[in-house]
Amino acid sequence: MQRTFIILKPDCVQRRLMGEVVSRFEAKGLNFVAMKMLRITPELAKQHYAEHVDKGWYPNLEGFITGGPVVAAVLEGLDAILVVREMLGATNGLKAAPGTIRGDFSSSQQMNLVHGSDGPESAAREIALYFNEDELCDFEPTITPWMRAADE
Ligand code: CDP
Ligand code: MG
């Protein structure tokens, strides 16, 4: 099992697409183990997007990500990091494949609705940045035997 971190970005919240996005992850078989609504501060944005802080487009990104409430969550599942990234699609909504979240609902490079960790190290770093250990709810959903074979 693997954990990954997602953010329903301000455009997702404002456009009333939270339910749609949560529903897709649930239907896929991913388990939500933590979730909270918050307002990202400029300081948190710089930590979260540390790899992008020096880019010319970073100030616009910071304005966007701090511009309204977001929902941060932790998802658990087999290959969860890759599965979520594939479900999100390419960064630019105009280039993201139909059937992906960004491909179906975004026509923007910036306003692409959902963030997902891009690897095990960023997942661990981002989960720790937004959640305390005691905010992560470990549980075994009773539906698991109907989601995959026991040896998968
Ligand atoms: O989110 P992802 O890993 O697919 O993309 P990224 O290249 O790591 O960029 C992080 C986020 O910055 C994107 O999801 C966009 O919201 C935003 N971005 C932007 O505003 N302008 C760009 N030229 C590229 C990305
Ligand atoms: Mg990225």
Side-chain angles (χ1 to χ4, degrees):
M1 293 297 268
Q2 191 175 56
R3 283 179 175 176
T4 190
F5 175 76
I6 64 164
I7 295 175
L8 309 185
K9 298 184 186 185
D11 54 332
C12 185
V13 175
Q14 296 290 344
R15 291 178 57 194
R16 274 68 176 143
L17 288 171
M18 291 191 291
E20 170 74 37
V21 169
V22 168
S23 180
R24 284 187 180 214
F25 290 135
E26 287 188 314
K28 179 68 178 173
L30 291 156
N31 302 326
F32 278 82
V33 298
M35 181 180 252
K36 69 178 160 199
M37 189 171 232
L38 70 147
R39 188 81 181 235
I40 295 181
T41 62
E43 294 70 37
L44 180 56
K46 287 183 187 73
Q47 286 180 277
H48 177 95
Y49 284 123
E51 62 175 321
H52 297 312
V53 167
D54 296 330
K55 306 224 167 103
W57 43 267
Y58 178 77
N60 286 340
L61 171 60
E62 185 179 291
F64 161 58
I65 207 73
T66 62
V70 303
V71 171
V74 178
L75 288 172
E76 192 173 73
L78 295 177
D79 274 333
I81 295 170
L82 184 66
V83 167
V84 167
R85 289 286 290 191
E86 297 278 321
M87 289 177 74
L88 296 187
T91 302
N92 187 333
L94 294 174
K95 295 181 182 150
T100 65
I101 290 167
R102 290 164 173 178
D104 286 352
F105 300 111
S106 164
S107 42
S108 165
Q109 179 160 252
Q110 178 182 79
M111 298 192 182
N112 55 12
L113 301 163
V114 185
H115 165 82
S117 304
D118 63 8
E121 278 157 33
S122 56
R125 187 183 74 85
E126 292 167 6
I127 290 169
L129 194 53
Y130 288 83
F131 291 99
N132 296 320
E133 193 59 41
D134 65 4
E135 291 178 300
L136 305 174
C137 302
D138 235 337
F139 73 107
E140 186 59 50
T142 54
I143 202 173
T144 302
W146 292 106
M147 300 301 289
R148 60 175 180 271
D151 61 353
E152 283 188 274

